Amino acid sequence: MSTSADPLAALAGLPGVTESVDSVRKAVDRVYGHRVMRRRSGEITAEAALRGARGNAALSGADWALEEVRRRTDFGADDEARAVGAALRLAAEAGQLLSIWRQSPLRVLARLHLVAAGGAGTDERDAMIGRPRLAGEPVAEPLVSFPLPAADEVAGRLEGLSEVIIAGGSAPALVTAAVVHGELMALRPFGSYNGLVARTAERIVMINSGLDPKGVCPGEVGHAELGSEAYLAALEGYLSGTAEGMAAWIAHCGRAIGLGARESMAVCEALQRGAA
Protein backbone atom coordinates (compact mmCIF):
# COMPACT_ATOMS: atom_id res chain seq x y z
CA MET A 1 0.00 0.00 0.00
CA SER A 2 1.66 3.23 -1.14
CA THR A 3 1.56 6.16 1.26
CA SER A 4 2.14 8.92 -1.27
CA ALA A 5 -0.39 11.73 -1.71
CA ASP A 6 -3.05 10.28 0.58
CA PRO A 7 -3.83 7.04 -1.27
CA LEU A 8 -7.19 6.69 0.45
CA ALA A 9 -8.50 10.02 -0.86
CA ALA A 10 -8.79 8.62 -4.38
CA LEU A 11 -11.22 5.98 -3.12
CA ALA A 12 -13.66 8.73 -2.16
CA GLY A 13 -14.16 9.45 -5.85
CA LEU A 14 -15.18 5.93 -6.79
CA PRO A 15 -18.74 5.53 -8.11
CA GLY A 16 -21.28 5.51 -5.30
CA VAL A 17 -18.82 6.29 -2.50
CA THR A 18 -19.83 9.94 -2.16
CA GLU A 19 -23.45 8.83 -1.75
CA SER A 20 -22.41 6.31 0.91
CA VAL A 21 -20.41 8.93 2.79
CA ASP A 22 -23.33 11.37 2.70
CA SER A 23 -25.78 8.70 3.82
CA VAL A 24 -23.63 7.76 6.81
CA ARG A 25 -23.19 11.41 7.79
CA LYS A 26 -26.96 11.96 7.74
CA ALA A 27 -27.63 8.78 9.74
CA VAL A 28 -25.07 9.75 12.38
CA ASP A 29 -26.37 13.31 12.55
CA ARG A 30 -29.90 12.05 13.17
CA VAL A 31 -28.75 10.12 16.23
CA TYR A 32 -26.77 13.04 17.64
CA GLY A 33 -29.70 15.36 17.02
CA HIS A 34 -32.12 13.28 19.08
CA ARG A 35 -33.18 14.98 22.30
CA VAL A 36 -32.37 11.87 24.37
CA MET A 37 -28.75 12.02 23.16
CA ARG A 38 -28.43 15.50 24.62
CA ARG A 39 -29.50 14.28 28.07
CA ARG A 40 -28.55 10.62 28.29
CA SER A 41 -25.70 10.08 25.86
CA GLY A 42 -23.81 7.88 28.32
CA GLU A 43 -26.63 5.36 28.34
CA ILE A 44 -26.83 5.35 24.55
CA THR A 45 -23.06 4.84 24.30
CA ALA A 46 -23.14 1.92 26.74
CA GLU A 47 -26.05 0.27 24.97
CA ALA A 48 -24.40 0.78 21.57
CA ALA A 49 -21.24 -0.90 22.87
CA LEU A 50 -23.23 -3.89 24.11
CA ARG A 51 -25.17 -4.25 20.89
CA GLY A 52 -22.04 -3.73 18.84
CA ALA A 53 -20.29 -6.51 20.77
CA ARG A 54 -23.23 -8.83 20.14
CA GLY A 55 -23.08 -8.09 16.41
CA ASN A 56 -19.31 -8.47 16.33
CA ALA A 57 -19.50 -11.90 17.94
CA ALA A 58 -22.32 -12.95 15.60
CA LEU A 59 -20.04 -12.54 12.59
CA SER A 60 -17.46 -14.72 14.33
CA GLY A 61 -19.94 -17.57 14.69
CA ALA A 62 -21.52 -16.72 18.06
CA ASP A 63 -24.94 -15.34 17.13
CA TRP A 64 -26.46 -14.96 20.58
CA ALA A 65 -29.62 -13.07 21.46
CA LEU A 66 -28.99 -9.64 22.93
CA GLU A 67 -30.54 -10.54 26.27
CA GLU A 68 -28.31 -13.61 26.51
CA VAL A 69 -25.26 -11.40 26.03
CA ARG A 70 -26.62 -8.95 28.56
CA ARG A 71 -27.26 -11.48 31.33
CA ARG A 72 -24.33 -13.90 30.95
CA THR A 73 -21.26 -13.62 33.15
CA ASP A 74 -19.40 -16.81 32.18
CA PHE A 75 -17.66 -16.54 28.83
CA GLY A 76 -15.16 -19.37 29.03
CA ALA A 77 -17.33 -22.44 28.54
CA ASP A 78 -16.85 -23.00 24.78
CA ASP A 79 -15.73 -21.32 21.57
CA GLU A 80 -18.96 -19.33 21.15
CA ALA A 81 -18.87 -18.06 24.74
CA ARG A 82 -15.22 -17.11 24.36
CA ALA A 83 -16.01 -15.18 21.17
CA VAL A 84 -18.78 -13.24 22.93
CA GLY A 85 -16.51 -12.53 25.90
CA ALA A 86 -13.78 -11.33 23.53
CA ALA A 87 -16.21 -9.02 21.72
CA LEU A 88 -17.39 -7.53 25.01
CA ARG A 89 -13.83 -6.92 26.19
CA LEU A 90 -12.96 -5.26 22.88
CA ALA A 91 -16.00 -2.98 23.08
CA ALA A 92 -14.90 -1.87 26.54
CA GLU A 93 -11.26 -1.43 25.54
CA ALA A 94 -11.78 0.49 22.30
CA GLY A 95 -12.51 3.80 24.02
CA GLN A 96 -9.28 3.57 26.01
CA LEU A 97 -7.09 3.45 22.90
CA LEU A 98 -8.26 6.48 20.93
CA SER A 99 -5.34 8.73 21.85
CA ILE A 100 -2.84 6.05 20.80
CA TRP A 101 -4.44 5.16 17.47
CA ARG A 102 -3.13 8.06 15.38
CA GLN A 103 0.37 7.76 16.84
CA SER A 104 0.78 3.98 16.87
CA PRO A 105 -1.99 1.97 15.22
CA LEU A 106 0.08 -1.22 15.27
CA ARG A 107 0.40 -0.94 19.02
CA VAL A 108 -3.38 -0.57 19.26
CA LEU A 109 -3.97 -3.61 17.06
CA ALA A 110 -1.60 -5.68 19.19
CA ARG A 111 -3.41 -4.53 22.32
CA LEU A 112 -6.80 -5.36 20.80
CA HIS A 113 -5.66 -8.88 20.03
CA LEU A 114 -4.27 -9.32 23.52
CA VAL A 115 -7.57 -8.15 24.99
CA ALA A 116 -9.61 -10.38 22.69
CA ALA A 117 -7.54 -13.40 23.62
CA GLY A 118 -7.86 -12.65 27.31
CA GLY A 119 -4.16 -12.20 27.98
CA ALA A 120 -1.03 -14.18 27.23
CA GLY A 121 -0.47 -17.66 28.58
CA THR A 122 2.43 -20.05 28.39
CA ASP A 123 1.71 -22.66 25.71
CA GLU A 124 2.76 -22.45 22.07
CA ARG A 125 -0.57 -21.04 20.88
CA ASP A 126 -0.57 -18.34 23.55
CA ALA A 127 2.87 -17.22 22.38
CA MET A 128 1.16 -15.83 19.25
CA ILE A 129 -1.10 -13.49 21.23
CA GLY A 130 -0.60 -9.77 20.68
CA ARG A 131 1.73 -9.99 17.71
CA PRO A 132 1.42 -10.62 13.96
CA ARG A 133 1.87 -14.22 12.88
CA LEU A 134 5.19 -15.55 11.68
CA ALA A 135 5.82 -17.82 8.70
CA GLY A 136 4.17 -21.18 9.14
CA GLU A 137 1.95 -20.18 12.05
CA PRO A 138 -1.74 -21.12 11.72
CA VAL A 139 -4.75 -18.81 11.65
CA ALA A 140 -8.14 -19.74 13.10
CA GLU A 141 -10.82 -17.44 11.68
CA PRO A 142 -14.45 -18.58 11.63
CA LEU A 143 -16.40 -18.05 8.40
CA VAL A 144 -13.47 -16.54 6.45
CA SER A 145 -11.53 -18.90 4.19
CA PHE A 146 -9.93 -16.61 1.61
CA PRO A 147 -6.26 -17.36 0.86
CA LEU A 148 -3.85 -16.03 3.48
CA PRO A 149 -1.03 -13.67 2.50
CA ALA A 150 2.44 -14.79 3.55
CA ALA A 151 3.77 -13.47 6.85
CA ASP A 152 6.32 -11.16 5.21
CA GLU A 153 3.60 -9.60 3.05
CA VAL A 154 1.46 -9.14 6.16
CA ALA A 155 4.28 -7.27 7.90
CA GLY A 156 4.83 -4.94 4.96
CA ARG A 157 1.16 -4.17 4.43
CA LEU A 158 0.57 -3.56 8.14
CA GLU A 159 3.42 -1.09 8.14
CA GLY A 160 1.97 0.64 5.08
CA LEU A 161 -1.46 0.84 6.68
CA SER A 162 0.09 2.27 9.83
CA GLU A 163 1.91 4.96 7.85
CA VAL A 164 -1.29 5.99 6.09
CA ILE A 165 -3.16 6.32 9.38
CA ILE A 166 -0.38 8.27 11.07
CA ALA A 167 -0.06 10.61 8.08
CA GLY A 168 -3.77 11.38 8.11
CA GLY A 169 -5.33 12.88 5.04
CA SER A 170 -8.52 14.09 3.45
CA ALA A 171 -10.30 10.76 2.97
CA PRO A 172 -13.74 10.62 4.63
CA ALA A 173 -13.99 8.66 7.86
CA LEU A 174 -16.12 5.98 6.22
CA VAL A 175 -13.47 5.34 3.57
CA THR A 176 -10.65 5.08 6.11
CA ALA A 177 -12.71 2.87 8.42
CA ALA A 178 -13.67 0.55 5.58
CA VAL A 179 -10.08 0.24 4.36
CA VAL A 180 -8.74 -0.48 7.85
CA HIS A 181 -11.44 -3.12 8.33
CA GLY A 182 -10.95 -4.65 4.88
CA GLU A 183 -7.16 -4.69 5.06
CA LEU A 184 -7.15 -6.44 8.43
CA MET A 185 -9.58 -9.06 7.14
CA ALA A 186 -7.46 -9.52 4.02
CA LEU A 187 -4.28 -9.98 6.06
CA ARG A 188 -5.66 -11.77 9.12
CA PRO A 189 -2.41 -10.86 10.85
CA PHE A 190 -3.09 -12.68 14.12
CA GLY A 191 -3.53 -16.34 14.90
CA SER A 192 -7.09 -15.77 16.13
CA TYR A 193 -9.86 -13.18 16.57
CA ASN A 194 -8.95 -11.23 13.42
CA GLY A 195 -12.58 -10.49 12.56
CA LEU A 196 -13.34 -9.19 16.03
CA VAL A 197 -10.24 -6.99 15.95
CA ALA A 198 -10.92 -5.71 12.41
CA ARG A 199 -14.48 -4.67 13.18
CA THR A 200 -13.37 -3.01 16.42
CA ALA A 201 -10.71 -1.11 14.49
CA GLU A 202 -13.40 0.12 12.08
CA ARG A 203 -15.28 1.47 15.07
CA ILE A 204 -12.16 3.14 16.50
CA VAL A 205 -11.64 4.99 13.21
CA MET A 206 -15.24 6.22 13.24
CA ILE A 207 -14.92 7.48 16.82
CA ASN A 208 -11.43 8.93 16.44
CA SER A 209 -12.35 10.76 13.23
CA GLY A 210 -14.93 12.83 15.09
CA LEU A 211 -17.77 11.55 12.93
CA ASP A 212 -19.12 9.38 15.75
CA PRO A 213 -17.21 10.65 18.81
CA LYS A 214 -19.46 8.96 21.37
CA GLY A 215 -19.47 5.62 19.58
CA VAL A 216 -23.24 5.41 19.22
CA CYS A 217 -23.40 4.12 15.64
CA PRO A 218 -21.92 0.61 15.90
CA GLY A 219 -21.19 -0.78 12.47
CA GLU A 220 -20.92 -4.26 14.01
CA VAL A 221 -24.70 -4.21 14.50
CA GLY A 222 -25.24 -3.56 10.81
CA HIS A 223 -22.64 -6.06 9.65
CA ALA A 224 -24.44 -8.75 11.63
CA GLU A 225 -27.86 -7.65 10.35
CA LEU A 226 -26.69 -7.70 6.73
CA GLY A 227 -25.41 -11.23 7.35
CA SER A 228 -22.27 -13.25 6.81
CA GLU A 229 -23.03 -14.05 3.17
CA ALA A 230 -23.24 -10.38 2.20
CA TYR A 231 -20.22 -9.62 4.37
CA LEU A 232 -18.07 -12.21 2.62
CA ALA A 233 -19.27 -11.15 -0.82
CA ALA A 234 -18.39 -7.53 -0.11
CA LEU A 235 -15.05 -8.54 1.39
CA GLU A 236 -14.28 -10.48 -1.75
CA GLY A 237 -14.74 -7.21 -3.61
CA TYR A 238 -12.16 -5.56 -1.39
CA LEU A 239 -9.75 -8.43 -1.94
CA SER A 240 -10.13 -8.08 -5.71
CA GLY A 241 -8.56 -4.63 -5.51
CA THR A 242 -10.73 -3.40 -8.39
CA ALA A 243 -12.44 -0.03 -8.31
CA GLU A 244 -15.83 -1.74 -8.43
CA GLY A 245 -14.93 -4.14 -5.64
CA MET A 246 -13.49 -1.44 -3.40
CA ALA A 247 -16.54 0.77 -3.92
CA ALA A 248 -18.86 -2.14 -3.10
CA TRP A 249 -16.96 -2.86 0.13
CA ILE A 250 -17.07 0.79 1.22
CA ALA A 251 -20.79 0.92 0.43
CA HIS A 252 -21.35 -2.25 2.44
CA CYS A 253 -19.54 -0.77 5.45
CA GLY A 254 -21.60 2.40 5.01
CA ARG A 255 -24.84 0.44 5.09
CA ALA A 256 -23.66 -1.38 8.22
CA ILE A 257 -22.87 1.86 10.04
CA GLY A 258 -26.20 3.29 8.92
CA LEU A 259 -27.97 0.29 10.43
CA GLY A 260 -25.98 0.78 13.63
CA ALA A 261 -27.19 4.36 13.73
CA ARG A 262 -30.76 3.18 13.20
CA GLU A 263 -30.37 0.80 16.14
CA SER A 264 -29.31 3.63 18.42
CA MET A 265 -32.18 5.78 17.17
CA ALA A 266 -34.52 3.00 18.27
CA VAL A 267 -32.85 2.98 21.69
CA CYS A 268 -33.29 6.75 21.92
CA GLU A 269 -36.96 6.41 21.06
CA ALA A 270 -37.43 3.66 23.64
CA LEU A 271 -35.77 5.75 26.33
CA GLN A 272 -37.94 8.72 25.39
CA ARG A 273 -41.04 6.59 25.80
CA GLY A 274 -39.77 5.24 29.09
CA ALA A 275 -39.76 1.74 27.66
CA ALA A 276 -36.06 1.05 28.16
Side-chain angles (χ1 to χ4, degrees), residues 24 28 174 177 202 206 217-219 252-262:
V24 166
V28 172
L174 170 61
E202 178 185 85
M206 292 295 293
C217 301
H252 183 83
C253 291
R255 285 192 294 273
I257 293 166
L259 289 169
R262 188 182 70 180

Side-chain angles (χ1 to χ4, degrees), residues 20 30 58 90 92 108 112 117 128 138 166 171 187 199 207 217 249 264:
S20 294
R30 280 194 293 272
L90 287 171
V108 169
L112 290 175
M128 297 173 62
I166 292 170
L187 299 177
R199 292 182 288 272
I207 296 171
C217 301
W249 170 249
S264 286

Side-chain angles (χ1 to χ4, degrees), residues 20-185:
S20 294
V21 169
D22 290 344
S23 178
V24 166
R25 166 64 72 182
K26 289 174 183 175
V28 172
D29 285 349
R30 280 194 293 272
V31 179
Y32 280 85
H34 197 285
R35 66 175 64 186
V36 169
M37 269 296 293
R38 295 193 288 271
R39 296 182 284 110
R40 303 172 70 176
S41 64
E43 292 173 69
I44 307 302
T45 295
E47 188 65 18
L50 180 72
R51 294 179 183 224
R54 192 217 72 81
N56 203 359
L59 274 181
S60 286
D63 193 1
W64 289 15
L66 179 63
E67 292 311 312
E68 178 73 1
V69 177
R70 196 188 301 279
R71 73 170 185 82
R72 282 282 290 269
T73 57
D74 174 20
F75 296 103
D78 52 40
D79 286 345
E80 284 196 9
R82 283 189 285 273
V84 174
L88 287 167
R89 289 192 298 274
L90 287 171
E93 185 74 11
Q96 310 303 313
L97 300 172
L98 299 177
S99 63
I100 305 171
W101 176 252
R102 287 296 295 271
Q103 285 72 46
S104 184
L106 297 185
R107 181 180 162 197
V108 169
L109 294 174
R111 174 63 184 170
L112 290 175
H113 187 247
L114 183 67
V115 168
T122 57
D123 65 25
E124 182 178 354
R125 188 77 178 184
D126 287 339
M128 297 173 62
I129 293 174
R131 64 157 175 80
R133 57 187 167 86
L134 304 177
E137 291 182 333
V139 172
E141 189 58 46
L143 306 180
V144 179
S145 58
F146 297 114
L148 280 169
D152 56 350
E153 180 182 348
V154 169
R157 286 171 64 175
L158 280 177
E159 188 60 37
L161 181 65
S162 175
E163 290 173 6
V164 168
I165 294 166
I166 292 170
S170 60
L174 170 61
V175 172
T176 304
V179 168
V180 167
H181 181 172
E183 190 71 357
L184 291 174
M185 289 306 295

Side-chain angles (χ1 to χ4, degrees), residues 219-272:
E220 306 99 315
V221 167
H223 285 299
E225 184 173 336
L226 291 167
S228 59
E229 186 176 338
Y231 183 77
L232 293 174
L235 180 58
E236 189 170 13
Y238 179 88
L239 295 174
S240 75
T242 65
E244 182 181 12
M246 294 292 287
W249 170 249
I250 293 167
H252 183 83
C253 291
R255 285 192 294 273
I257 293 166
L259 289 169
R262 188 182 70 180
E263 184 94 349
S264 286
M265 278 293 289
V267 172
C268 287
E269 291 294 325
L271 286 172
Q272 185 166 279

